[in-house]
Amino acid sequence: QVQLVESGGGLVQAGGSLRLSCAASGRIFSLLTMAWYRQAPGKQRELVATITSGGSTNYAGSVKGRFTVSRDNAKNTVSLQMNSLKPEDTAVYYCNAHYVTYGDDYWGHGTQVTVSS
């Protein structure tokens, strides 16, 4: 079992920055593919960024060049640095962990990011 807790959300003006963190409990963190998703009101949950156990990253086109995902296996954390924020980035951001070996998924409860214009 893996438990995930997001933090770092808040209110920021357009053009500003926020850094989200996800703390994971469990002893298999280094084996997990980590991801950030977001869900805006009235919209489906959207994949924002991923980082594999080996550190390879991928980003949604809408955030590429503005967001950076990273992980610290020693601390069992994954972060999402969000720069040049836009009102369209407003959403609840969720941390996700995927255990590729067994196909298991784990989810945090989300943290609200609100970007004002």
Side-chain angles (χ1 to χ4, degrees):
Q1 283 277 33
V2 176
Q3 289 81 46
L4 305 173
V5 180
E6 303 96 335
S7 63
L11 175 65
V12 65
Q13 291 186 351
S17 299
L18 282 174
R19 185 177 180 87
L20 306 183
S21 294
C22 174
S25 63
R27 299 183 178 181
I28 59 170
F29 180 80
S30 63
L31 304 179
L32 304 173
T33 293
M34 304 299 298
W36 287 96
Y37 287 76
R38 66 186 182 187
Q39 188 166 27
K43 296 184 179 180
Q44 293 187 359
R45 189 169 297 184
E46 172 191 20
L47 178 62
V48 176
T50 63
I51 182 165
T52 68
S53 60
S56 298
T57 59
N58 280 290
Y59 299 91
S62 58
V63 307
K64 192 172 184 178
R66 300 188 297 121
F67 291 11
T68 302
V69 64
S70 60
R71 68 191 296 160
D72 187 337
N73 289 341
K75 297 181 179 179
N76 276 24
T77 59
V78 61
S79 297
L80 185 68
Q81 178 66 46
M82 305 184 294
N83 298 326
S84 302
L85 283 162
K86 305 174 181 179
E88 306 93 90
D89 297 318
T90 295
V92 176
Y93 283 71
Y94 297 91
C95 183
N96 166 267
H98 181 65
Y99 198 176
V100 175
T101 301
Y102 297 101
D104 297 331
D105 277 289
Y106 309 91
W107 292 90
H109 290 99
T111 185
Q112 177 71 49
V113 172
T114 302
V115 184
S116 62
S117 60

